[in-house]
């Protein structure tokens, strides 16, 4: 972990959920690291908030040894080996908790409900989580980066204020 970084596990407890705009670059950093490892033939297999370290300007992941519910994909819990898509499941479960302040309650065997948030396309966010948390690995995104793109894509860009408009209008 970077110097001054803190594990996400106590950070979630102490600071609560993150705003989606703050979360996207952090999830993207983890996704990039995981996808790079996957291309090299490596799988994390035990991604959990205690394995994610956050500092002001950086987010990093450390190795782990045992997968834990609710972050472990169903196939890992059933005793099958971890794969890049099970890492994606774990990343999505962490992103969900990081965004909403509570662990995911069920897999994406049915739509993952998300609360309304300003500037967020609720159905798009629900769809991103539902797919990444699908019970069958083949139903998930092709990569962690693809999940992150769908997650980030749920943010609706704010329209710029019109030049010359004043508060008195």
């Amino acid at each position: 972990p970077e110097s001054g970084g803190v594990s996400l596990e106590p950070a979630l407890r102490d600071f609560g959920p993150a705003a989606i705009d703050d979360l996207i670059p952090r999830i993207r950093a983890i996704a990039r690291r995981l996808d790079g490892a996957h291309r090299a033939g490596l799988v994390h297999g035990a991604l959990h908030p205690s394995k994610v370290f956050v500092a002001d300007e950086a987010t990093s992941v450390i190795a782990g040894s045992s997968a834990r519910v609710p972050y472990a994909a169903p196939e890992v819990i059933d005793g099958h080996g971890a794969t890049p898509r099970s890492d994606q499941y774990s990343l999505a479960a962490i992103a969900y908790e990081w965004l909403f302040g509570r662990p995911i309650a069920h897999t994406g065997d049915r739509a993952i409900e998300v609360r309304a948030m300003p500037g967020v396309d609720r159905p798009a966010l629900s769809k991103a989580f539902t797919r990444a948390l699908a019970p069958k690995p083949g139903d998930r995104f092709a990569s962690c980066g693809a999940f992150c793109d769908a997650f980030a894509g749920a943010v609706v860009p704010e329209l710029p204020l019109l030049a010359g408009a004043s508060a008195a209008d």
Side-chain angles (χ1 to χ4, degrees):
E2 268 80 30
S3 60
V6 62
S7 163
L8 182 56
E9 199 167 38
L12 280 170
R13 194 174 51 241
D14 298 345
F15 304 111
I20 195 166
D21 290 337
D22 296 335
L23 193 51
I24 289 168
R26 293 187 182 278
I27 295 300
R28 193 169 300 284
I30 298 168
R32 255 197 306 273
R33 174 118 354 119
L34 290 170
D35 285 342
H38 298 156
R39 283 190 297 275
L42 304 170
V43 175
H44 191 285
L47 203 56
H48 176 275
S50 67
K51 306 300 176 207
V52 175
F53 279 76
V54 291
D56 288 345
E57 297 300 319
T59 306
S60 57
V61 178
I62 62 169
S65 58
S66 62
R68 287 192 262 169
V69 175
Y71 312 100
E75 66 273 15
V76 174
I77 294 167
D78 290 343
H80 301 285
T83 66
R85 292 201 183 188
S86 59
D87 277 354
Q88 177 190 140
Y89 182 100
S90 300
L91 177 62
I94 289 168
Y96 181 91
E97 184 171 350
W98 208 344
L99 186 61
F100 297 111
R102 65 186 189 316
I104 188 75
H106 64 86
T107 64
D109 55 345
R110 62 186 192 276
I112 302 290
E113 291 297 320
V114 296
R115 66 176 163 74
M117 291 179 285
V120 175
D121 178 339
R122 193 174 175 185
L125 187 60
S126 170
K127 206 172 183 178
F129 279 119
T130 301
R131 183 168 175 194
L133 293 164
K136 294 185 183 128
D139 293 340
R140 296 179 200 142
F141 291 98
S143 67
C144 292
F147 159 66
C148 191
D149 290 344
F151 178 74
V155 175
V156 180
E158 290 185 19
L159 296 173
L161 295 174
L162 294 174
S166 72
D169 287 347

